[in-house]
């Protein structure tokens, strides 16, 4: 893998042959993905689609979190305005790392109709100079949206020229929404910029790495340092739990990229191992770090659920020859957790659950559901690619369970929920307003102030799920008093009617 000579990262449709449209079962989607040369998942699409997200907005999930930075959104005022929703969280989370941190500072170049004719380069230059003069940030991040890309603004040239007069590092991010239907391409777009502008050997080590790169790497190969690549959907509690477990193995943990400072990416090279929390996020970054800086990595499962956490810990421990220690730790943690889960197994066993959200996260969370004795009746994933495979291995008997791939597309999920009638829905934050009108109890798939990862995360999910199921009156009243937004004829049809490749629908 080396895409760093290119201006921007390739789309995931091309690089990973990932899919955004599928309707079938878990067994079928696995078979189709493996046979993707035939194109059944990668080339599948919809004849009708409701709104879906753009990679520009998802890029902001990481970019907004970088400390000592000013973010310039180069585009019309509407692009990225979703950031308003997480200003408070962003500031609080930055200050958890460094109490002196500023909150989120962003500027929009506010391109209008006349800029579409005359170009937006002048406004961009003004914005960069203003950001540098007014805030003196360590870095100025420029997120490029559709309009400047379509009208041909040469942002790389302008920013290279401006770099000569600016103290902070200027980092362009090519995350134009129109370039991909697969939102997760955003992670590659952001890491592409980080790899080009932030990641470099630390100056103080220059004599060593310039004269003998092998000795430089050997020094860190032997160390106990590990980088954990955190994600925007993780909470500080999640980080605390993973740190607790890894420090229990005697490892020294550093979290990047979310809430890191630009300089942290230099220290990040002084590590023995890069570890992904979720393959959907990190393979582009760790792949390049291995190729360019010879740092090995682990991209496997996500530490959500007992089996997944155990598997994740074992993969890390193996790199450091700590297999026996990991087994001991996992056994001890599992024993304590099993005792703590007993009351919830009694109340939750036999309930049916439907999960919707990021592919890796929903399948991992289903492991917790099965552990509690619940029945998983369906999945809806934002997209589908090979990173889901190891997570599927922790589930039992799901091959016949319905599995659809859809970024948003609430009309399909509303149809599916009417047919499956689960006892509870676990779904992506922000994607449950229509689902709530079905009257279902809903547990958010993630939450910035809750713990989901590691062993304590399993307990927390069980505890909160139990509470949610005991009091679902609000959504029940919603269903009695608010109509569903789609015509009744739609609910009589197959939910996958508009998908161009459907192996054999169960509905
Ligand atoms: S799709 Fe393009 S124009 Fe729309 S929000 Fe995303 S970057 Fe902006």
């Amino acid at each position: 893998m080396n895409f760093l000579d290119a201006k921007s990262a390739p789309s995931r449709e091309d690089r990973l042959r990932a899919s955004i449209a599928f309707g079938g079962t878990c067994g079928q989607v696995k078979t189709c993905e493996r046979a993707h040369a035939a194109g059944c998942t990668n080339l599948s699409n919809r004849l009708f689609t409701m709104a879906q997200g753009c990679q520009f907005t998802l890029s902001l999930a990481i970019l907004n979190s970088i400390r000592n930075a000013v973010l310039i959104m180069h585009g019309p005022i509407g692009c990225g305005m979703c950031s308003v929703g997480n200003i408070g969280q962003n500031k609080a989370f930055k200050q958890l790392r460094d109490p002196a941190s500023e909150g989120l500072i962003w500027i929009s170049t506010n391109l209008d109709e006349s800029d579409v004719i005359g170009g937006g380069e002048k406004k961009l230059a003004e914005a960069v100079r203003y950001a540098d003069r007014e805030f003196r940030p360590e870095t100025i991040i420029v997120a490029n949206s559709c309009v400047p890309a379509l009208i041909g603004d040469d942002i790389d040239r302008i920013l290279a020229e401006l770099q000569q007069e600016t103290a902070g590092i200027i980092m362009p991010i090519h995350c134009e929404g129109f370039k991909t239907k697969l939102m997760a391409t955003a992670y590659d777009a952001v890491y592409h910029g980080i790899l080009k502008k932030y990641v470099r050997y630390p100056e103080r080590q220059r004599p060593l790495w310039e004269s003998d790169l092998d000795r430089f790497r050997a020094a860190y190969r032997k160390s106990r340092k590990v980088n954990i690549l955190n994600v925007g959907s993780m909470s500080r509690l999640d980080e605390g739990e993973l740190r607790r477990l890894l420090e229990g193995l005697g490892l020294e943990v550093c979290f990047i990229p979310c809430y890191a400072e630009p300089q942290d990416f230099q220290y990040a090279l002084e590590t023995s191992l890069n570890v992904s929390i979720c393959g959907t996020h990190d393979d582009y970054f760790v792949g390049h770090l291995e190729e360019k800086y010879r740092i090995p990595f682990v991209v496997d499962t996500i530490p959500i659920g007992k089996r997944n956490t155990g598997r994740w810990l074992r993969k890390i421990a193996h790199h450091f020859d700590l297999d026996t220690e990991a087994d001991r730790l996992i056994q001890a943690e599992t024993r304590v957790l099993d005792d703590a889960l007993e009351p919830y197994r009694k109340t939750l066993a036999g309930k049916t659950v439907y999960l919707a959200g990021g592919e890796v996260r929903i399948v991992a969370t289903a492991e917790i559901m099965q552990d509690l004795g619940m029945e998983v009746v369906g999945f809806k994933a934002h997209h589908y690619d090979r990173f889901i495979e190891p997570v599927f291995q922790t589930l039992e008997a799901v091959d016949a369970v319905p599995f659809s791939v859809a970024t948003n597309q609430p009309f399909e999920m509303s149809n599916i929920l009417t047919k499956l009638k689960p006892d509870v829905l676990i779904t992506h934050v922000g994607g449950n307003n229509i689902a709530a009108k079905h009257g279902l109890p809903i547990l958010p798939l993630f939450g910035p102030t809750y713990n989901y990862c590691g062993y304590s995360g399993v307990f927390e999910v069980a505890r909160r799920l139990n509470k949610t199921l005991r009091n679902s009156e609000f959504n029940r009243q919603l269903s009695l008093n608010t109509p569903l937004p789609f015509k009744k004829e739609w609910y009589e049809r197959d939910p996958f009617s508009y998908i161009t490749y459907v192996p054999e629908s169960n509905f």
Side-chain angles (χ1 to χ4, degrees), residues 160-193:
E161 286 168 12
L162 287 164
Q163 186 67 81
Q164 310 306 318
E165 53 181 280
T166 313
I169 303 166
I170 304 179
M171 179 168 74
I173 302 290
H174 292 275
C175 52
E176 306 84 2
F178 74 91
K179 283 187 174 170
T180 175
K181 287 183 178 175
L182 224 143
M183 273 179 86
T185 302
Y187 302 123
D188 303 347
V190 171
Y191 277 136
H192 192 85

Side-chain angles (χ1 to χ4, degrees), residues 16 92 97 193 315 320 325 336 458-459 493:
L16 296 174
R97 272 80 173 171
K315 295 267 172 192
F320 296 97
E325 289 81 350
V336 174
V458 176
F459 177 79
R493 291 182 58 183

Side-chain angles (χ1 to χ4, degrees), residues 52-58 74-76 78-81 143-148 150 175-180:
Q52 58 186 54
C54 95
Q55 64 156 337
F56 184 94
T57 54
L58 189 56
H74 187 35
C79 292
M81 285 305 118
N144 207 34
S145 74
C146 296
V147 171
L150 288 167
C175 52
E176 306 84 2
F178 74 91
K179 283 187 174 170
T180 175

